[in-house]
Amino acid sequence: MLDKFITPIIKPLLTPVVMLMHKRGITADQLTVIGFLVGLLAVPLLAFEMWYGALVAIALNRILDGLDGALARYANQSSSAGGFLDITLDFLFYAAIPLGFILANPEQNAIAGSLLLATFIGTGSSFLAFAIAAEKFKLEKPQFKYKSFYYLNGLTEGTETIALFIAFCIWPQHFAIMASIFAIACGITIFTRIHGGYHTLKQQEAAENMPSMCKFRGNK
């Protein structure tokens, strides 16, 4: 929900760092992989209840995630392969953080963490499945033109998820309640994406079929 407002603010701040990295010969795909590995460090840190160390790893992951796309665009290296790598590792990272809290306190966090992971699957699959169909119909990306594929909006997007992870690390004792509330918000996102995506694609299919139907009637 907040991504479309936050991204235009952050992008200009990354430009000086991106220019320096490009001069040093660093590639966007390298940043993607490095960011993912840094983010995974949060899992053992969370498991051993090193909350602020995990918070640093999460923050670094998100910074590098912002830099990789900006670097790809600056260097004219944007590609479907890079977009695929980026989104795949992003979702693995998102799933890893609740797992870290479950490992830290299985008795208290397992149910809420599992519920959150289940809804993460729903939000991720609904948005990626729509992206495949959107590519088929060549739908425009008015709010995220810089992305490799179509982003279907929702109540819970990247900005909200990272804010949640930060809150988890600051108030780990409240993980269960925060995870449960966010899972409900994810459920709303899943419903709106499925509902909106389904009807959008039905309209596209109807529009594509209209010329052939008119031609058929004309011949008749």
Side-chain angles (χ1 to χ4, degrees), residues 119-131:
T119 56
F120 276 179
I121 292 173
T123 56
S125 60
S126 59
F127 134 163
L128 292 175
F130 184 84

Side-chain angles (χ1 to χ4, degrees), residues 15-37:
T15 302
V17 181
V18 165
M19 293 174 64
L20 178 61
M21 289 183 168
H22 182 59
K23 289 180 180 178
R24 297 292 178 88
I26 299 172
T27 68
D29 289 350
Q30 289 172 342
L31 279 185
T32 299
V33 174
I34 292 170
F36 173 67
L37 295 176

Side-chain angles (χ1 to χ4, degrees), residues 80-113:
S80 296
F84 167 75
L85 180 67
D86 180 59
I87 196 62
T88 301
L89 297 186
D90 273 354
F91 275 103
L92 289 172
F93 165 75
Y94 288 144
I97 301 307
L99 175 62
F101 282 94
I102 292 172
L103 294 174
N105 191 335
E107 183 176 349
Q108 179 177 316
N109 296 339
I111 293 177

Side-chain angles (χ1 to χ4, degrees), residues 37-53:
L37 295 176
V38 170
L40 283 189
L41 292 176
V43 177
L45 291 170
L46 290 171
F48 288 102
E49 302 185 4
M50 301 173 69
W51 312 122
Y52 290 104

Side-chain angles (χ1 to χ4, degrees), residues 1-14 143-144 146 157-160 162-163:
M1 183 174 67
L2 296 177
D3 285 7
K4 61 184 177 182
F5 303 109
I6 298 297
T7 301
I9 297 173
I10 294 176
K11 283 176 65 178
L13 302 177
L14 302 178
Q143 295 169 336
F144 299 101
Y146 56 90
E157 297 175 343
T159 301
E160 292 82 7
I162 297 310

